[in-house]
Amino acid sequence: MEQPIIARKNVTNHILKSFNIRADKRLGQNFLTDEQIVAQIVEAATLQQDDCVLEIGPGIGTLTQALAEKGAAVTAVELDKRLLPVLKETLAAYPNVNIINADILQLDIKEAVNNQSFKVVANLPYYITTPIVFHLLEQKLPMERLVVMVQKEVAERMVAKPGGKDYGALSVAVQYYAEPKIAFKVPPTSFIPAPNVESAVIVCEVRKQPPVTLTDEKIFFRVVKAAFSVRRKMLNNALKNMGITAEEVKTWLEAAGIDGKRRGETLSLTEFAKLANVYVTLKVVS
Ligand code: SAM
């Protein structure tokens, strides 16, 4: 039987009304109602017939339906219990969809995807975009690609290059694990209810190998955090946030060949890696 397409304003309103559901702002509920955008998201995921897809926050099943139509095996993780009976009905025709009621930040993702390699395709809840992205990338899961709708500003920070105002710890972290690209922008009118911000779909090709060689990944992320902890400050000052003295910072920067008058936002990934590796070599102070 032909399934009604959920990604339409009238269908979405009808579903929400019949189940007496009001979008919960605290859970970042903005349901997509634009068929074209849904199709573009699915296209960006370059799905093959039996690909395994992890969707975070299926809502009422809008994107899930389009993914399932492609023949992918979809595991969709939804926190809001109220949406479970809705999903049961809207996705009844798709045996290739598995709904899990859980908080994505608490879930054992490897187990949820049966240890298979997978792609993430999602319209993320904006209030926890960064924790979700870190949670996915840091675990070094067998994840090939991440296609996610996020707030436009967050997308711009993820792809930012050194020197610009958007470049920060998020840019360095995402670019260390993946190659991010903004695929397209999405206006608030594509959702019910309309969010207060513009959105963008970002595609991250997860790297098989990191782009830089690190002696200690944890130290690398501590250095990045310290460098950006006080945005307008020079490295001379900012790096004291590693818990070391000005003298130790000076020795460290000299050994790494990096000018202490520079600011964190001007350092490339390679320079951050150099700093971190020299820190470990000097064993400045842990
Ligand atoms: N995919 C649907 C769409 O595109 O219309 C809904 C997207 S809506 C922006 C975000 C969804 O994430 C909501 O359904 C919300 O309940 C769910 N959500 C919020 N926090 C979550 C969490 N911690 N774990 C899993 N799902 C969550």
Side-chain angles (χ1 to χ4, degrees):
M1 201 178 74
E2 185 93 346
Q3 294 300 308
I5 293 169
I6 307 169
R8 290 181 180 163
K9 292 223 186 285
N10 59 342
V11 178
T12 298
N13 275 325
H14 175 75
I15 294 170
L16 293 174
K17 210 166 158 208
S18 354
F19 284 88
N20 199 17
I21 302 263
R22 267 173 167 261
D24 188 339
K25 273 197 184 153
R26 290 165 311 170
L27 289 180
Q29 290 179 351
N30 300 98
F31 304 115
L32 262 170
T33 53
D34 188 325
E35 225 176 303
Q36 192 57 41
I37 298 290
V38 169
Q40 280 176 256
I41 296 175
V42 174
E43 197 186 316
T46 58
L47 291 183
Q48 311 292 320
Q49 176 67 17
D50 32 329
D51 265 356
C52 180
V53 173
L54 173 69
E55 187 193 357
I56 297 154
I60 61 170
T62 315
L63 182 55
T64 329
Q65 178 185 46
L67 294 165
E69 285 280 351
K70 284 278 171 199
V74 186
T75 298
V77 181
E78 176 55 61
L79 176 62
D80 188 353
K81 276 200 171 55
R82 301 177 308 153
L83 298 172
L84 301 181
V86 183
L87 290 165
K88 199 163 176 225
E89 187 168 313
T90 57
L91 301 172
Y94 305 98
N96 48 335
V97 174
N98 173 31
I99 304 288
I100 300 178
N101 178 213
D103 176 346
I104 190 66
L105 297 176
Q106 305 296 330
L107 185 73
D108 181 339
I109 295 174
K110 245 190 196 158
E111 195 186 302
V113 296
N114 293 324
N115 257 317
Q116 279 177 297
S117 86
F118 65 99
K119 293 174 174 169
V120 171
V121 186
N123 170 15
L124 290 180
Y126 293 173
Y127 75 107
I128 43 168
T129 301
T130 310
I132 293 177
V133 169
F134 273 100
H135 185 63
L136 293 169
L137 292 171
E138 273 172 2
Q139 289 186 62
K140 307 213 165 73
L141 298 161
M143 184 172 64
E144 299 160 31
R145 183 178 266 237
L146 199 75
V147 179
V148 284
M149 174 101 70
V150 299
Q151 197 176 320
K152 193 186 82 184
E153 285 72 21
V154 175
E156 283 164 352
R157 281 165 46 209
M158 287 179 180
V159 301
K161 294 291 174 208
K165 68 168 174 35
D166 293 330
Y167 186 68
L170 181 66
S171 331
V172 177
V174 170
Q175 291 167 36
Y176 172 70
Y177 290 116
E179 291 176 84
K181 283 197 185 80
I182 294 179
F184 53 92
K185 310 234 168 104
V186 182
T189 47
S190 298
F191 306 83
I192 287 180
N196 300 327
V197 291
E198 271 194 86
S199 303
V201 170
I202 186 140
V203 176
C204 295
E205 204 67 56
V206 180
R207 296 182 190 274
K208 292 195 171 59
Q209 292 292 329
V212 288
T213 309
L214 298 177
T215 321
D216 184 331
E217 211 171 75
K218 276 211 181 91
I219 294 286
F220 172 76
F221 284 109
R222 271 186 60 202
V223 172
V224 172
K225 218 169 142 198
F228 288 111
S229 57
V230 270
R231 247 194 117 70
R232 302 305 309 158
K233 276 204 181 152
M234 295 185 282
L235 291 170
N236 273 335
N237 263 317
L239 291 179
K240 284 194 282 185
N241 274 346
M242 293 288 286
I244 56 179
T245 64
E247 202 47 44
E248 285 166 328
V249 171
K250 195 165 169 264
T251 312
W252 173 23
L253 284 165
E254 271 170 18
I258 291 175
D259 183 352
K261 292 203 180 69
R262 287 175 63 187
R263 296 193 168 94
E265 67 238 39
T266 68
L267 293 194
S268 67
L269 213 65
T270 312
E271 288 174 311
F272 273 118
K274 182 91 197 286
L275 259 186
N277 289 346
V278 169
Y279 183 94
V280 176
T281 314
L282 290 179
K283 288 203 190 330
V284 178
V285 182
S286 65

